[in-house]
Amino acid sequence: MQMIAVQTRLYAYVLSLVLDRERASEILQQTNLVMLEKAGEFEEGTNFSAWAYRVAFYEVLADRRKRSREKHLFNDELLALVASHSSTIGDSLDDRSVALEDCLSYLPDRHRQLITQRYRPGGSVAALAESLRKTPAAVSTLLYRIRSELLECTQKKLSHARS
């Protein structure tokens, strides 16, 4: 179950290290295989995400060794620095996602639907304006206000969580 929950963050982490979506997907698949093979080595009660990031990091290094003939590869020290920073960001994004979901639930239904329609794949201000029979400027202004409200709510939740 933990392995499924970490997939999105793990993909983002690998992508931040290789900067290529196809390679990141391949490395993630290999990472998943290694985690399944080494599941017995994971100690219950420890941080699963940290373990998964470590496995992914070693898989990125293995991929780099395979591709060592390519030009423009960063050295391993820089890669380790980026990896460390990326894993920290991933944990922070989790907290932000939880806070944002909670704040979305406080919005009036109409506002939540607007945000959902705008940010679904293919959603646009122009399409929303047409469906609502409003000008794109009016829809943009409303979306700006809703996003500002969400930002304020999210920041409050995150600051309370840190206190």
Side-chain angles (χ1 to χ4, degrees):
M1 180 66 172
Q2 291 182 70
M3 189 168 156
I4 294 168
V6 76
Q7 290 299 294
T8 303
R9 287 181 291 132
L10 204 53
Y11 174 75
Y13 171 74
V14 172
L15 182 60
S16 74
L17 299 177
V18 298
L19 305 175
D20 179 309
R21 291 180 188 274
E22 188 174 313
R23 277 180 59 203
S25 292
E26 291 170 9
I27 293 169
L28 179 61
Q29 292 301 319
Q30 185 59 36
T31 299
N32 287 332
L33 288 173
V34 171
M35 286 193 301
L36 287 171
E37 290 171 2
K38 297 185 176 204
E41 295 177 21
F42 174 70
E43 294 179 34
E44 285 297 323
T46 62
N47 187 333
F48 183 83
S49 292
W51 180 73
Y53 285 135
R54 178 60 54 203
V55 172
F57 178 72
Y58 285 122
E59 289 307 311
V60 168
L61 289 178
D63 180 73
R64 285 175 49 79
R65 282 191 295 278
K66 286 184 221 170
R67 298 173 188 271
S68 63
R69 289 183 219 112
E70 291 181 14
K71 295 179 182 178
H72 306 297
L73 288 179
F74 297 117
N75 70 30
D76 289 347
E77 287 177 23
L78 178 59
L79 184 64
L81 181 63
V82 170
S84 172
H85 183 69
S86 293
S87 65
T88 303
I89 289 173
D91 292 340
S92 171
L93 288 176
D94 277 350
D95 295 341
R96 289 174 183 261
S97 292
V98 168
L100 179 59
E101 277 186 48
D102 196 30
C103 290
L104 278 167
S105 72
Y106 294 131
L107 287 177
D109 288 339
R110 191 180 108 218
H111 288 178
R112 191 171 42 254
Q113 288 171 356
L114 281 173
I115 289 290
T116 302
Q117 289 173 1
R118 169 59 184 94
Y119 293 105
R120 74 170 192 265
S124 70
V125 170
L128 270 175
E130 188 176 318
S131 72
L132 296 171
R133 295 189 174 126
K134 294 186 180 213
T135 66
V139 172
S140 289
T141 300
L142 180 57
L143 287 169
Y144 174 79
R145 289 181 184 146
I146 297 168
R147 285 192 303 263
S148 295
E149 187 179 333
L150 286 171
L151 177 62
E152 184 179 331
C153 175
T154 302
Q155 288 174 336
K156 282 181 184 176
K157 289 196 173 295
L158 291 172
S159 69
H160 288 318
R162 291 182 194 124
S163 311

